[in-house]
Amino acid sequence: MRSRIYLDYNATAPLCPLAAEHMQQYLGDRDANPSALYLEAEQVRGDFESARLKMARCLGVRPGELYFTSGATESINWAIRGTLAANPERRKIVTSRVEHAVTLDIARHLERSGIEVVLLEVDSRGRLNLDEVAAALDDNTALVSLMWTNNETGVEFDIQALGNMAREKGVIFHVDAAQKVGKGLPSLASMPVDLLSFSGHKFGAPKGVGGLFIKNGVGIRPLIWGGQHETGRRGGTENVAGVIAMSFALAHAVERWPHAAPTVRRLRDRLEEIILTALPNTQINGDTETRNDNTLSVCFSGIEGHGVVLTLSQMSVACASGSACTAHDEGPSHVLEAMGVDGAYIHGALRFSLGMDTTAEDIETAGRLIVDAVRHVSRI
Ligand code: PLP
């Protein structure tokens, strides 16, 4: 990975060195079970709770509102299924067609068990129509679940407006913030959000650790039963090393992001410029006004994006043709389909996602190689 030009931060961010350094001791000397009664365990429990406090401060929530999980997939399952379980009289959920595969998969399963699922449409730039959202929320709706930042296009939904709307209608609001936490998330203290899922490996923690913010007073049933961990709401011996690492990774990201974001954005825009200048029949996916700082989704007419990703891999550039979770799927991206991307373009999708360590040299070199790779694949 290290010798590559890595442009796949939305799939996963490299492990933050500070996080790696701090987690080491919890894999060695300090590996006691935090639920045990002896001194070493008490010490580990203290460190674990300090990590919760550190993370809560970064997110702008109370420590008691933050629950640790195995990642965003578990958190999203917990948020949606736990809310339905706590509100059995409400039999409907509202989400969108451009959500991550996790949410869409849960929605499909729920639909089979008799839950009404509304999949909101987006326009050609990946934006929601707020009137349509308002019309979908009613007394039967248990929850509206929407993503903050789209993992494929980088388009951000207006979480403030959506949350206000959900509140007015008395509907619980869950946000999948896997691509937002560590990349300029505002303090949740001022946001109308009830539940928020996130994933550590998107901001420099190891894979397999994440969290769910549950606002005080929001009723939600556990997803994983078995023990008094996480105040009885999520069973399972704590992933101490993972959570400690995640707390350092998040604090580091939160401190760095405000200074790094303008550079990340400038480099992303430069990559876009190189591609658009050299390659005709190219289109940018997603609304450039509401797009985040690090993501560039493009489509090339008449070629297979998968082929370009593999060619670039041989040239030591790592990128994606869509989301990492659906990288092995044959069909076109459901996000681009929902946006109505033209048939000639939809198979030629590429996603480049930058991080705070991406350099100008990376972008100039990658830009040249991308142009070569697309030309090469077009010829064959
Ligand atoms: N939601 C979004 C928007 C994502 O990008 C991802 C990761 O790909 C997930 C959810 C799932 O996260 P995790 O890998 O922690 O299960």
Side-chain angles (χ1 to χ4, degrees):
M1 289 272 272
R2 300 235 180 265
S3 59
R4 288 179 172 271
I5 297 176
Y6 186 70
L7 298 177
D8 203 16
Y9 278 78
N10 287 8
T12 197
L15 188 60
C16 163
L18 199 64
E21 184 192 319
H22 280 275
M23 79 186 282
Q24 272 311 319
Q25 46 185 319
Y26 300 90
L27 301 170
D29 292 348
R30 294 198 174 194
D31 67 349
N33 185 327
S35 299
L37 294 178
Y38 33 84
L39 192 64
E40 300 90 311
E42 201 177 302
Q43 213 164 32
V44 169
R45 197 159 57 244
D47 295 350
F48 188 75
E49 290 309 321
S50 300
R52 194 189 309 275
L53 188 62
K54 190 200 275 266
M55 290 203 58
R57 283 203 187 113
C58 291
L59 299 170
V61 306
R62 298 187 188 99
E65 295 176 315
L66 180 58
Y67 296 84
F68 296 123
T69 66
S70 63
T73 299
E74 181 188 326
S75 302
I76 296 167
N77 268 276
W78 186 7
I80 298 177
R81 292 160 58 186
T83 300
L84 279 166
N87 299 278
E89 71 293 352
R90 294 187 176 220
R91 305 279 293 159
K92 174 177 164 187
I93 65 162
V94 174
T95 182
S96 85
R97 282 187 64 194
V98 296
E99 296 303 305
H100 191 271
V102 174
T103 305
L104 294 176
D105 211 20
I106 298 167
R108 260 191 300 275
H109 281 279
L110 289 172
E111 206 165 27
R112 275 188 226 125
S113 65
I115 298 293
E116 184 189 348
V117 174
V118 174
L119 290 182
L120 298 162
E121 299 289 336
V122 292
D123 67 10
S124 61
R125 295 194 201 168
R127 298 171 301 185
L128 285 172
N129 177 326
L130 293 186
D131 292 337
E132 282 173 23
V133 184
L137 305 181
D138 58 23
D139 291 349
N140 193 32
T141 312
L143 150 135
V144 52
S145 179
L146 294 167
M147 64 203 321
W148 200 309
T149 309
N150 188 278
N151 50 305
E152 291 191 32
T153 61
V155 171
E156 301 205 322
F157 287 157
D158 186 345
I159 297 302
Q160 181 81 50
L162 291 162
N164 289 341
M165 195 181 283
R167 213 150 261 187
E168 260 170 43
K169 301 259 185 174
V171 173
I172 301 280
F173 185 33
H174 167 245
V175 179
D176 169 3
Q179 298 290 345
K180 185 66 178 175
V181 169
K183 294 186 203 131
L185 179 91
S187 167
L188 294 178
S190 61
M191 294 298 294
V193 170
D194 299 307
L195 302 163
L196 181 132
S197 296
F198 63 91
S199 171
H201 73 95
K202 305 293 185 185
F203 54 80
K207 288 151 196 68
V209 64
L212 179 66
F213 156 67
I214 306 178
K215 197 175 185 61
N216 255 351
V218 171
I220 157 171
R221 298 283 295 279
L223 177 73
I224 297 180
W225 299 87
Q228 286 311 303
H229 315 90
E230 300 292 296
T231 57
R233 296 182 97 173
R234 196 269 186 184
T237 303
E238 297 85 346
N239 176 0
V240 177
V243 165
I244 303 258
M246 181 164 67
S247 70
F248 279 93
L250 183 60
H252 190 58
V254 164
E255 195 187 316
R256 264 188 94 190
W257 183 258
H259 313 286
T263 306
V264 172
R265 175 176 278 267
R266 187 171 48 73
L267 294 179
R268 188 273 313 273
D269 292 348
R270 170 68 186 138
L271 184 61
E272 180 177 303
E273 184 188 19
I274 295 173
I275 292 172
L276 288 180
T277 307
L279 299 167
N281 305 324
T282 302
Q283 71 171 45
I284 304 301
N285 303 312
D287 180 43
T288 51
E289 296 283 303
T290 53
R291 188 172 57 167
N292 74 349
D293 297 306
N294 83 312
T295 308
L296 170 61
S297 170
V298 291
C299 276
F300 305 101
S301 165
I303 61 167
E304 282 290 334
H306 277 54
V308 182
V309 172
L310 296 177
T311 305
L312 281 169
S313 168
Q314 286 170 357
M315 296 169 158
S316 286
V317 176
C319 65
S321 56
S323 97
C325 297
T326 52
H328 297 278
D329 292 356
E330 292 288 316
S333 142
H334 69 275
V335 174
L336 301 183
E337 270 183 331
M339 289 162 59
V341 170
D342 190 84
Y345 283 86
I346 199 162
H347 294 280
L350 282 189
R351 177 190 72 183
F352 304 101
S353 46
L354 287 63
M356 289 189 268
D357 292 319
T358 306
T359 65
E361 193 189 339
D362 287 341
I363 291 304
E364 295 303 322
T365 309
R368 247 185 301 113
L369 294 172
I370 292 161
V371 171
D372 288 350
V374 171
R375 287 186 179 145
H376 171 73
V377 173
S378 317
R379 276 197 298 275
I380 56 173

